[in-house]
Amino acid sequence: MESPLQLLRDLLPFAASGAEQKDMAALRDLRDTITGLSPQEAVAKLAGSVLPAAAQQPNLHMRFKLLEDIRHEGEQSLPLLEGGISQAVLPLPMEAATAALHADNLLKGMAIAYGGIARTIIKSQLNGAMSHLCHRSIQRAMAMIARRQLLAYRAYADPSATSWLTLHELYQLVRGPQPKPLDGETAPIEQEYLGALLFAFVEPGKFPRAELDKVHTCTRQLAAYATVREADANTGTSKPLEPGFLIRPDEGSPGYPLTRLPAGLSIFGSMVLDCNQVLAALDRNITRRPGKKVEPDLDAPPATLQCLRVSIGGKSARRFSRTHFRPRGDLVSGLPEVINFLDGNAFSRRSVDSASRYEGRDFLSSEWSLVDESPDGFLLRFIKGEKRRIGAGDIVALQPRESSKIHVCLVRRISTSQVRLEVGLQLLSPQISVVDVIADDTPEQLAIFLHSLPAYGKFSGLIANPGNYRTGQTIMIKLPGRSLHRRIGTCMEANVGLEFFALDPLPD
């Protein structure tokens, strides 16, 4: 058994021994070998060779310094891999999947190595003398886990259960058996933890991949307004139900909305994430006047902030029950492709119609299984066909097999795993038309006219390329045999691929 003095020598940052200096020199040489490698090769080298060598350093202060060096080195390559995964088609092709695996391996290894420092300090009962190193290590470990989870969301995949269990465990190491708010040097740990939870609770699969970084930044800012308390006998039973979530540290998940707790769920040992002040912070941003400063200052459009509020406020329950059936359908995605598909190129189910179909079509379709259907949407599962950069907020046209009916929908949710890709679609209108739109100061454009919008109100809608129209502008819509005059109303949805406007009627 080691003496206390020897244990202190191993733990505290005394001068390195000759053997340690040799190990450090060898590690520096190993790290130098990544120079000139591609980002994927560099990350693989860091995860496979450099990181394991650094994690064996017995001096904990020196080990932390080495991990920090590796973390900074990884920042030269990781953002490039993460950006490539965000841009990749779905399901992920082999190259993107391999890059994701290497990035995940490095982040996972870093989380384990940082967490190992903290656990060694706590196990050796030196967390009093080395509390600063312990807390910094836990914060770094949590940050690596949260980044792993964001990496999964970039491909619309769910984070692993192990990542959630580890995140809960690290938080419990600092919080201890006595529930109390974290402050001082432990406050950043709680920020990391609550930020990861809030990001999961807003359901990243509902957002376009291009918006994930912005949503992630917003949830990290909002985490400062969330609080944690112990669950009690009244949790989930008060009327009206408070905005918040039940967290079970023994489960590999972020938790459950208080508005939709599973029947029979035990709350023993659970915590409650109180989101009242989070909603207040969102409301200040949603309702603020131009030029007015608010705290926190969330850099996101009002539509995104409203979506965050709906998710955190627990108001996003499904309006209709779903029926289960398994027909198949063809899917076309992207506004130009959907317009081309609708404009005389929709697949006919009658062989006699094939002669009149335009063969030089400018769209590619894929085959999907219609897993569920409700009055206002569908759940589809990818079978085969052209892989596309499909994302939440995209417009798609769905034509079930053995049917001439075409459904124009918006992608509301995406989920990927190693074996399947699923998308949730919101049906927009029972009647749609491809139309020419004429405006005084805008060239004539093709757009999609939605004759009615049952889910939104008693008005029609227009989906067009972004940047063509503005609220308040008067337009003329050319339909077969007649023209409609409308005023551009509220922009209900906007992203890099489309703008979705409500239309106010004018006298024809």
Side-chain angles (χ1 to χ4, degrees), residues 231-298:
D232 56 33
N234 296 322
T235 298
T237 61
S238 60
K239 300 292 182 181
L241 291 172
E242 61 181 321
F245 301 86
L246 185 77
I247 306 163
R248 291 184 53 83
D250 58 342
E251 288 189 2
S253 70
Y256 309 90
L258 293 179
T259 55
R260 299 195 299 275
L261 292 180
L265 180 70
S266 171
I267 62 172
F268 178 77
S270 300
M271 301 179 295
V272 172
L273 183 67
D274 188 329
C275 293
N276 278 288
Q277 292 306 311
V278 173
L279 294 184
L282 280 166
D283 288 339
R284 289 196 294 273
N285 279 268
I286 293 171
T287 60
R288 69 171 167 178
R289 297 174 181 174
K292 182 181 178 180
K293 293 185 178 180
V294 298
E295 290 293 338
D297 186 3
L298 302 177

Side-chain angles (χ1 to χ4, degrees), residues 308-417:
L308 293 178
R309 198 195 191 289
V310 170
S311 297
I312 295 173
K315 304 298 185 183
S316 58
R318 181 177 295 142
R319 299 187 302 139
F320 301 105
S321 60
R322 291 190 178 275
T323 57
H324 295 264
F325 66 117
R326 291 297 174 89
R328 296 187 178 188
D330 296 301
L331 193 76
V332 175
S333 63
L335 183 57
E337 292 83 355
V338 169
I339 289 176
N340 188 264
F341 179 59
L342 296 172
D343 196 18
N345 288 291
F347 303 139
S348 171
R349 300 309 173 202
R350 299 184 303 169
S351 59
V352 295
D353 292 339
S354 61
S356 62
R357 186 185 305 161
Y358 170 56
E359 296 299 334
R361 63 194 193 200
D362 297 324
F363 61 86
L364 294 169
S365 67
S366 49
E367 184 178 343
W368 297 70
S369 170
L370 281 70
V371 179
D372 288 337
E373 180 182 8
S374 73
D376 66 344
F378 304 89
L379 176 63
L380 307 186
R381 183 173 297 160
F382 179 77
I383 299 176
K384 64 181 179 179
E386 182 71 16
K387 294 181 179 181
R388 299 294 306 273
R389 285 184 51 225
I390 191 169
D394 286 351
I395 186 172
V396 298
L398 169 67
Q399 184 174 23
R401 295 287 174 91
E402 307 305 328
S403 171
S404 59
K405 178 68 173 177
I406 300 174
H407 305 283
V408 172
C409 308
L410 289 179
V411 178
R412 287 307 186 198
R413 186 186 305 273
I414 302 181
S415 174
T416 67
S417 67

Side-chain angles (χ1 to χ4, degrees), residues 159-201:
S160 68
T162 302
S163 72
W164 285 115
L165 287 170
T166 306
L167 204 63
H168 294 320
E169 182 218 352
L170 290 170
Y171 181 67
Q172 295 296 326
L173 287 178
V174 181
R175 195 164 191 254
Q178 299 298 322
K180 59 180 180 180
L182 303 187
D183 53 20
E185 68 177 31
T186 61
I189 294 174
E190 189 159 75
Q191 286 289 100
E192 288 287 352
Y193 182 63
L194 300 186
L197 290 173
L198 276 179
F199 188 55
F201 292 144

